Amino acid sequence: DTARAEAARPLGERLARALRVTGLDPSLTGALVIDTQTGRAAFARNPRASLVPASTEKLPIAFAALKTFGPEYQTKTLVLGRGIQKGSTWKGHLVLKGFGDPGLHTNDLRELTQQLTDKGIEQVSGRIIGDESFFDDKRTARGWIPSFYKLWSPPLSALIVDRAFYRDRLPTSPSGMIIKKLGVYPGFA
């Protein structure tokens, strides 16, 4: 499988590949990875270049999350029902409840839809509701540069798919965008 093949590549090659971004000149970026066992550089790209530092706030957050939840933890997105199944129809509403999964993708919605189909549900008579109430309603964080919002970072939301892009645009309602994506599945509109 491709994940195993990628993991078998040397670390330097994997890091160089991960740092390759379309439209970004590699000479304008830098990275230095130190092996904590040996104290030697495991990877270096422009290590002495004077560059504006990237946001490092994600590093302590990632460390805290790994320490608290462990490496196997996965953020969930649930499909909850308000109603009853009659034959192949769900009579009532379905709620897509988000808990902040930043990697939620259209393919994950397809899997959730398939889970409903596997339970015999082929149509929904009510509404499909996106619930992002696990987070507050603030879309940005204090201190964000205005161009971060929508240009570099999707709006903050407990329920967001494909980094909030829908038809190459960032809508103001991430959960509303998800419902539009769900609408492309027969019977789930």
Side-chain angles (χ1 to χ4, degrees), residues 34-182:
I34 304 294
D35 182 327
T36 57
Q37 301 294 318
T38 66
R40 294 184 184 157
F43 177 81
R45 173 189 284 169
N46 302 326
R48 298 193 186 282
S50 179
L51 302 167
V52 176
S55 166
T56 57
E57 189 171 325
K58 57 188 146 288
L59 296 175
I61 291 170
F63 176 78
L66 279 169
K67 194 80 170 152
T68 303
F69 301 116
E72 302 302 316
Y73 179 80
Q74 290 186 329
T75 307
K76 294 180 178 148
T77 301
L78 303 175
V79 177
L80 307 170
R82 282 192 262 165
I84 188 166
Q85 183 175 349
K86 291 204 175 184
S88 64
T89 301
W90 181 263
K91 300 280 188 179
H93 304 307
L94 290 179
V95 177
L96 191 62
K97 174 77 175 169
F99 292 93
D101 182 354
L104 191 63
H105 187 270
T106 301
N107 290 337
D108 299 313
L109 295 181
R110 287 188 184 104
E111 287 178 26
L112 291 170
T113 303
Q114 185 59 51
Q115 289 174 19
L116 293 172
T117 303
D118 292 346
K119 292 179 189 258
I121 299 171
E122 296 176 7
Q123 281 193 307
V124 177
S125 68
R127 297 171 58 203
I128 299 174
I129 301 163
D131 179 353
E132 59 179 319
S133 64
F134 189 69
F135 289 176
D136 61 27
D137 62 357
K138 292 179 176 63
R139 297 292 182 219
T140 63
R142 198 177 82 185
W144 273 16
I145 296 171
S147 66
F148 281 3
Y149 180 52
K150 293 188 176 181
L151 180 60
W152 296 104
S153 181
L156 300 176
S157 172
L159 184 59
I160 205 160
V161 175
D162 297 331
R163 294 187 45 81
F165 279 89
Y166 178 67
R167 296 187 177 162
D168 297 325
R169 291 186 23 235
L170 278 167
T172 55
S173 169
S175 61
M177 175 274 308
I178 291 167
I179 303 312
K180 288 178 185 173
K181 284 186 180 233
L182 278 171

Side-chain angles (χ1 to χ4, degrees), residues 1-9 14:
D1 99 307
T2 55
R4 282 196 183 110
E6 183 64 20
R9 294 177 188 255
R14 286 183 288 155

Side-chain angles (χ1 to χ4, degrees), residues 19 24-33 43-54:
L19 293 172
L24 182 62
D25 182 351
S27 70
L28 299 177
T29 64
L32 180 61
V33 178
F43 177 81
R45 173 189 284 169
N46 302 326
R48 298 193 186 282
S50 179
L51 302 167
V52 176

